[in-house]
Amino acid sequence: MAEVAKYVGVSAMTVSRAFRQDASVSEETRKRIMEAVDALGYVLDLSAGSLSSRRSGFIAALVPSINNSNFSDTARGITDALENTGLQLLLGYTDYSAEKEEKLIEAMLRRRPEGVILTGGSHTDRARRMLDKAGIPVVETWELPEEPINHVVGFSNSEAMSLLVRTLASQGYRKFGYIGGTTARDTRGSQRRSGFLKTVEELGLGPGRAISFGVPPITMEQGGQAIVSLLERWPDTEVVLCVSDLSAFGAIMECKRRGMSVPGDIAVAGFGDYEISSICHPSITTINVDCYGIGRQAAARLLDALQGSGEATGDEITLTGYRVVLRESTDRSGAS
Amino acid sequence: MAEVAKYVGVSAMTVSRAFRQDASVSEETRKRIMEAVDALGYVLDLSAGSLSSRRSGFIAALVPSINNSNFSDTARGITDALENTGLQLLLGYTDYSAEKEEKLIEAMLRRRPEGVILTGGSHTDRARRMLDKAGIPVVETWELPEEPINHVVGFSNSEAMSLLVRTLASQGYRKFGYIGGTTARDTRGSQRRSGFLKTVEELGLGPGRAISFGVPPITMEQGGQAIVSLLERWPDTEVVLCVSDLSAFGAIMECKRRGMSVPGDIAVAGFGDYEISSICHPSITTINVDCYGIGRQAAARLLDALQGSGEATGDEITLTGYRVVLRESTDRSGAS
DNA sequence: AGGCAGGATGATATCGATAACAAGTTGGAA
DNA sequence: TTCCAACTTGTTATCGATATCATCCTGCCT
């Protein structure tokens, strides 16, 4: 920077100011500085700047898996919301592990992010302490934690699944099956499962028929294996709800491979409204979640908190919408 | 850090050394320091450290889209390869735009990354100049650029597609169609297309029948629309190759929706070997690409370059493998 | 005893920007 | 004419760590 300053014949401070929009530098000087910057190929060094201004310009975000398009949509929402704010996203993925999350949180905090976005509300004690000590806004997303750290942007996975059960029950389905994991690792999955079981019970539709598969991340293949087990055990099942569209897709394809008709022989529904579900034949009934919006809103809450940092408005909960999308895979007229 | 130092009764320098493994600090002192760190909840500030050590600890990586599982696999490969190296990934996505890439490169360089990983070989002049000036190792991935900046980890998309055409031709297919974009934005897509056209020509199978769809990112829906156009225009097409499994999947589902059998009435193949292709019914013939390996190797090349920074071994090209995966969607016995 | 290698620790300057305050200019109001 | 506001620019200290060199100690070799 000193080099640029000398080249133009001003002080380094003036060059520094020229890089910010608000600073008072005459238009002419700024132009000359920018020409020099271009000529010299100078690139601003933010790490030095962030040290003195105590603003790193980072936002840290942790998602369970980057390969899951629901979460990458959220990441995209965050990035888009951060555009032109001068903030940059530091993205990490936890592999659905609270221990890995803890390590990542520590690694992220070493970069002094101005805010943190997490997925879910299940964290190690140490992670909570570190976040607390950091004194920066934290947003938990994708679910409604019982003990929120700070802000929350999400929805009740349990109620969303419940809504799907009720909707399908109102269409006449009675014998419900469920496919999904049980591990504590995927808390959203567990919540969906318990929402399913609770609602089936409430509707007086007997104990729910639930099959588990291995640990997250959810794969399509698991869905195929699971529906086979489920139908072996409870052959008269009418409709199978899956923790995710990915497993629903796997389940449907496996059925077709075995010559069964969906929804003729068995109806299937998913969760998440992935692109695949609207394209698949039969198209898949699912819960649409505003993944992108979760990201945008989480970032927006963070930006709010950073702006009016004076008066913390307390822990806010921003509910994001979801809706049942009925498609061919649960169509009672039974085409396909 | 000064706080920790005072608490333990040593100098800040000793605390700093305790955080690195190689430094000479007595085991006992280190233990006391770490206890203090724990007690005080101190978290190391890397931004300060990187300023004085001139090592940011960042690796920048740009991918066209984070929602595409091929690229997120690559990102995962990079992250995994970087584990325990003390380097952190700064991830950005360019939306298939060279202009956005240029902006991102500038934003990344402001963080003084120690290396950069790019997707493809198509960059703006200014981007090239900035990277040049930065004097850090650069790895271009996923294709073989005509004018590499520095290192390359990838494969020839054109030859891979050519291999697929030849393989299918050897199975007796004669009338080849192709679905994919033409825009310069997706250079890998263009290369696959030209590989297709060239090979069909070489095999004496008449001019290739190619349909284009809109701009990237590739969607499943585009595949469905495209195959309809293609079959309207050339109804006797026997096999359709798609720029990506995603469009192949869309195409297949659209065919089934219209009552056509795949591969009975029309065979379809994709590119990329996404999870969906092995699960889908019919399973989809495709080219398997080592997405994860591209990431790992790109990171490995970068680490090599950072280690032996003394003698630049010049621009190296690391070829990554690909292979044809024949599946049901092009099975000549024509089940399904 | 003297000397020296080698391990452990401390003191100081420094990385490259920005915060905070100081100071020079210009133009218009009193 | 005088003075002050508003704008522009410069000076100095500082952010929090690390590089580098200096220092101190211990123990062993000659």
Side-chain angles (χ1 to χ4, degrees):
Chain A
M1 181 176 267
E3 207 178 320
V4 176
K6 195 186 294 179
Y7 186 95
V8 182
V10 296
S11 73
M13 196 60 234
T14 305
V15 177
S16 170
R17 279 196 268 253
F19 271 103
R20 264 180 298 300
Q21 75 288 29
D22 58 279
S24 57
V25 179
S26 75
E27 218 28 73
E28 203 248 326
T29 311
R30 163 174 282 125
K31 212 179 111 227
R32 275 179 31 232
I33 289 174
M34 285 314 170
E35 279 168 13
V37 165
D38 243 37
L40 296 172
Y42 169 73
V43 176
L44 189 62
D45 187 331
L46 289 184
S47 62
S50 63
L51 183 58
S52 81
S53 66
R54 293 124 169 299
R55 296 198 49 222
S56 67
F58 282 125
I59 293 293
L62 300 183
V63 296
S65 155
I66 203 179
N67 289 52
N68 181 310
S69 85
N70 272 192
F71 295 127
S72 59
D73 279 344
T74 298
R76 209 161 43 80
I78 298 171
T79 314
D80 288 358
L82 256 35
E83 194 159 8
N84 301 322
T85 61
L87 289 166
Q88 186 170 18
L89 181 63
L90 266 180
L91 191 62
Y93 61 87
T94 65
D95 256 336
Y96 295 90
S97 150
E99 285 69 40
K100 192 153 182 201
E101 188 195 57
E102 178 188 306
K103 279 192 188 171
L104 274 170
I105 287 175
E106 181 166 21
M108 295 293 186
L109 288 181
R110 290 183 169 189
R111 301 288 183 181
R112 297 290 184 268
E114 301 180 33
V116 176
I117 297 175
L118 302 175
T119 306
S122 172
H123 320 290
T124 66
D125 281 347
R126 180 150 170 272
R128 281 177 182 275
R129 261 180 283 129
M130 287 192 294
L131 288 170
D132 225 51
K133 188 114 207 298
I136 53 178
V138 174
V139 183
E140 291 167 286
T141 60
W142 269 94
E143 54 183 85
L144 306 179
E146 294 191 9
E147 300 177 38
I149 299 180
N150 194 186
H151 302 270
V152 173
V153 175
F155 61 98
S156 164
N157 285 266
S158 154
E159 281 178 25
M161 186 54 92
S162 175
L163 176 63
L164 183 55
V165 173
R166 288 175 196 280
T167 306
L168 291 172
S170 78
Q171 303 216 330
Y173 287 106
R174 287 292 168 267
K175 292 168 183 159
F176 284 81
Y178 181 84
I179 289 175
T182 41
T183 71
R185 297 182 65 180
D186 181 5
T187 51
R188 289 158 298 293
S190 307
Q191 288 153 12
R192 289 172 201 169
R193 182 197 201 84
S194 64
F196 168 82
L197 292 173
K198 194 180 103 240
T199 310
V200 167
E201 208 64 47
E202 283 173 9
L203 293 173
L205 300 178
R209 306 149 168 215
I211 286 285
S212 297
F213 50 67
V215 297
I218 296 148
T219 66
M220 294 174 175
E221 195 179 359
Q222 290 165 339
Q225 296 165 351
I227 200 165
V228 171
S229 315
L230 193 144
L231 291 179
E232 267 173 16
R233 185 144 164 216
W234 297 291
D236 62 337
T237 304
E238 293 168 358
V239 59
V240 176
L241 274 53
C242 302
V243 66
S244 149
D245 281 2
L246 303 180
S247 32
F249 175 76
I252 291 174
M253 289 298 138
E254 186 61 29
C255 287
K256 301 211 114 189
R257 183 159 275 117
R258 290 171 179 251
M260 276 182 279
S261 151
V262 176
D265 297 323
I266 180 84
V268 177
F271 198 112
D273 199 12
Y274 291 67
E275 184 186 14
I276 200 175
S277 294
S278 61
I279 304 298
C280 181
H281 177 69
S283 55
I284 304 175
T285 292
T286 188
I287 295 278
N288 173 282
V289 174
D290 186 13
C291 316
Y292 180 79
I294 289 176
R296 281 204 82 105
Q297 296 213 52
R301 288 296 79 70
L302 229 42
L303 292 174
D304 290 349
L306 291 175
Q307 293 243 318
S309 58
E311 31 190 315
T313 30
D315 305 353
E316 288 162 36
I317 295 183
T318 306
L319 291 176
T320 60
Y322 56 83
R323 63 175 199 281
V324 172
V325 182
L326 289 171
R327 297 213 180 94
E328 295 164 356
S329 69
T330 58
D331 186 357
R332 288 241 86 175
S333 70
S336 176
Chain B
M1 181 176 268
E3 208 178 320
V4 175
K6 194 185 297 177
Y7 186 95
V8 182
V10 297
S11 74
M13 196 59 235
T14 304
V15 176
S16 170
R17 278 195 269 254
F19 270 103
R20 268 182 299 297
Q21 75 287 32
D22 59 279
S24 57
V25 179
S26 75
E27 218 29 72
E28 201 248 329
T29 311
R30 162 174 283 126
K31 211 178 112 232
R32 275 181 30 233
I33 289 174
M34 285 312 169
E35 279 168 13
V37 164
D38 243 38
L40 296 172
Y42 169 74
V43 176
L44 190 62
D45 187 331
L46 288 182
S47 62
S50 64
L51 183 57
S52 82
S53 66
R54 292 125 169 297
R55 295 199 49 221
S56 67
F58 282 125
I59 293 293
L62 300 183
V63 296
S65 156
I66 202 179
N67 290 53
N68 181 310
S69 83
N70 272 192
F71 295 127
S72 58
D73 278 345
T74 299
R76 209 162 42 80
I78 298 171
T79 313
D80 288 357
L82 256 35
E83 194 160 6
N84 301 323
T85 61
L87 289 166
Q88 185 169 21
L89 181 63
L90 265 179
L91 191 62
Y93 61 86
T94 65
D95 254 336
Y96 294 91
S97 150
E99 284 69 40
K100 192 151 183 203
E101 188 195 55
E102 179 187 305
K103 280 192 188 171
L104 273 170
I105 287 175
E106 181 165 20
M108 295 294 187
L109 288 180
R110 290 184 169 186
R111 301 288 183 180
R112 297 290 184 268
E114 301 180 32
V116 177
I117 297 175
L118 302 175
T119 307
S122 173
H123 320 290
T124 65
D125 282 347
R126 180 150 169 273
R128 281 176 182 275
R129 260 180 283 128
M130 287 192 295
L131 288 170
D132 226 50
K133 187 116 207 300
I136 54 178
V138 174
V139 182
E140 291 167 286
T141 61
W142 269 95
E143 54 183 88
L144 306 178
E146 296 192 5
E147 300 177 38
I149 299 179
N150 194 184
H151 301 270
V152 173
V153 174
F155 62 97
S156 164
N157 285 266
S158 155
E159 281 178 26
M161 185 54 92
S162 176
L163 176 63
L164 182 56
V165 173
R166 288 175 197 281
T167 305
L168 291 173
S170 77
Q171 304 217 327
Y173 287 105
R174 287 292 168 266
K175 293 169 181 160
F176 283 80
Y178 181 84
I179 289 175
T182 41
T183 70
R185 297 181 67 182
D186 180 5
T187 51
R188 288 157 300 291
S190 307
Q191 289 154 12
R192 288 171 202 171
R193 182 197 200 87
S194 63
F196 168 83
L197 291 172
K198 193 181 106 243
T199 310
V200 167
E201 208 64 48
E202 283 173 9
L203 293 174
L205 301 178
R209 305 149 170 215
I211 286 285
S212 297
F213 51 68
V215 296
I218 295 148
T219 66
M220 295 175 175
E221 194 178 0
Q222 290 166 339
Q225 296 166 352
I227 200 165
V228 172
S229 315
L230 193 143
L231 291 179
E232 268 174 14
R233 184 146 163 214
W234 297 291
D236 62 338
T237 304
E238 294 168 357
V239 60
V240 177
L241 275 54
C242 301
V243 66
S244 149
D245 281 1
L246 303 181
S247 32
F249 175 75
I252 291 173
M253 289 298 137
E254 186 61 29
C255 288
K256 300 212 114 187
R257 183 157 276 118
R258 291 169 179 251
M260 275 182 280
S261 150
V262 177
D265 298 323
I266 179 85
V268 177
F271 197 111
D273 198 12
Y274 291 67
E275 183 186 15
I276 200 174
S277 293
S278 60
I279 304 298
C280 180
H281 177 69
S283 55
I284 305 175
T285 292
T286 188
I287 294 277
N288 173 282
V289 174
D290 185 13
C291 316
Y292 179 80
I294 289 177
R296 280 203 82 105
Q297 296 214 50
R301 289 295 79 70
L302 229 43
L303 292 173
D304 289 350
L306 291 176
Q307 292 245 317
S309 58
E311 30 191 313
T313 31
D315 305 352
E316 288 163 36
I317 294 183
T318 305
L319 291 176
T320 60
Y322 55 84
R323 63 174 199 280
V324 173
V325 182
L326 290 172
R327 297 213 181 95
E328 296 164 356
S329 70
T330 59
D331 186 358
R332 289 240 87 176
S333 71
S336 176

